[in-house]
Amino acid sequence: MEKYFNTNTMDYNQAYERVRKLKNFYKSLSWYGIIAGILFFNEYFEHGTIDFSFYHGSILLLIWGIILVIKGVKLFVFDSSWEQRILDKELRKSKPKL
């Protein structure tokens, strides 16, 4: 027997998992901002310019930033409500027309 999926409510486990992912994302984003600020402002105060090179951490910040963008898209764009909308759309397609 198939489990009935209620589209209006989210069970506790799903909500807990979503909150955990949000917390981890915001924590990573905060650390990214702190580290980027330290690297860029340190370079600016020492040399008066900001140098975007591998040796000054710019490439590492770029890679870290790309990873954060991917996580953010997965978390905010392709979340469970998106999945449910697509599932509902596909189910409507497969219903026989009367």
Side-chain angles (χ1 to χ4, degrees):
M1 177 178 241
E2 291 184 30
K3 182 180 176 184
Y4 175 71
F5 186 75
N6 188 352
T7 60
N8 296 328
T9 61
M10 183 183 290
D11 72 345
Y12 178 79
N13 292 332
Q14 286 176 324
Y16 181 80
E17 185 65 24
R18 173 123 174 108
V19 169
R20 189 184 65 76
K21 287 179 181 180
L22 282 169
K23 179 182 170 187
N24 287 337
F25 176 74
Y26 288 130
K27 193 185 308 183
S28 296
L29 194 62
S30 298
W31 276 113
Y32 178 81
I34 290 168
I35 299 300
I38 289 171
L39 288 175
F40 287 134
F41 288 119
N42 184 36
E43 184 68 23
Y44 182 74
F45 288 131
E46 284 182 6
H47 303 288
T49 61
I50 296 177
D51 184 20
F52 294 102
S53 68
F54 181 74
Y55 298 108
H56 297 286
S58 298
I59 297 298
L60 297 175
L61 288 176
L62 176 69
I63 293 169
W64 192 1
I66 291 170
I67 291 169
L68 283 175
V69 166
I70 291 169
K71 284 184 177 184
V73 167
K74 283 176 57 178
L75 191 60
F76 295 111
V77 176
F78 298 121
D79 59 352
S80 61
S81 65
W82 174 84
E83 185 177 336
Q84 186 61 40
R85 285 191 309 270
I86 299 299
L87 180 63
D88 290 341
K89 183 178 173 183
E90 292 298 318
L91 287 173
R92 281 193 299 271
K93 282 183 186 178
S94 65
K95 285 185 181 178
K97 296 184 181 185
L98 298 176

